[in-house]
Amino acid sequence: MKSTMTGGRPVLTRHAEAETCADPSSVMTLLADSDSTADGFTSYRSTFAQGAVGAPAHFHTKATELFFVISGSLQVLVGEEVTVLEAGDFLAVPPHTPHAFAAAPGCEADVLFVFTPGMDRFDYLRLLGRVMRGEADAKEIAASAERFDNHYVDSPVWRAALEVSS
């Protein structure tokens, strides 16, 4: 059974049937995209290797991004503050709030992400994987900012945190 939702029916994505996107330091398991959810959410699970950088500083204009750490530790930037989320921690980042994330120093992380309202973000995640593998140009990410509601910003606080981590 594929991940489906029409007319308010439940969404079920079997782990064995879920699409995955991988880059050298993480694996993303695509669970439900907004086109298959009546309420328009997007959800995926990412596992980050030790030292993996998840996303640079960015914000969304429409979506709240939810993080739930299944295991390991995730270092996050929210606004101008850097903190570490541990297994079992939950974070909701509202629209227009700069944020970034990476596996915490010396740790791996397994994280469930949910965007609400969702957008067809799976194409964005696929693009990221292609760029990380050298199959697409990074300029395509910048060109897709409006389509995927992903707006990158400079964060000296985040850059400093990553420098300390490496």
Side-chain angles (χ1 to χ4, degrees):
M1 172 186 243
K2 292 187 73 82
S3 172
T4 59
M5 175 107 174
T6 56
R9 292 193 319 245
V11 174
L12 172 62
T13 304
R14 299 281 187 193
H15 176 75
E17 298 171 358
E19 178 184 349
T20 58
C21 296
D23 62 47
S25 62
S26 67
V27 175
M28 295 169 284
T29 304
L30 310 183
L31 301 172
D33 213 356
S34 63
D35 63 350
S36 65
T37 63
D39 295 329
F41 67 88
T42 297
S43 183
Y44 63 95
R45 179 178 179 175
S46 287
T47 55
F48 300 97
Q50 210 172 44
V53 176
H58 66 284
F59 65 91
H60 311 289
T61 61
K62 299 174 186 89
T64 295
E65 186 170 358
L66 311 171
F67 299 71
F68 180 76
V69 180
I70 297 166
S71 65
S73 300
L74 188 74
Q75 182 172 307
V76 296
L77 166 77
V78 179
E80 292 294 315
E81 183 178 337
V82 176
T83 190
V84 174
L85 304 178
E86 302 293 344
D89 289 350
F90 171 82
L91 170 68
V93 178
H96 301 283
T97 304
H99 58 285
F101 52 91
C107 298
E108 297 175 341
D110 186 359
V111 182
L112 178 68
F113 292 89
V114 178
F115 289 82
T116 184
M119 298 180 79
D120 294 330
R121 294 189 62 83
F122 285 5
D123 284 342
Y124 176 74
L125 299 174
R126 292 174 186 121
L127 172 60
L128 288 179
R130 288 193 311 274
V131 169
M132 294 295 290
R133 291 187 305 273
E135 299 167 1
D137 191 311
K139 292 177 184 176
E140 291 182 54
I141 293 172
S144 70
E146 288 302 320
R147 177 179 174 206
F148 297 118
D149 191 25
N150 236 25
H151 307 276
Y152 291 98
V153 296
D154 181 44
S155 172
V157 172
W158 185 243
R159 280 189 279 115
L162 291 179
E163 287 175 15
V164 169
S165 300
S166 51

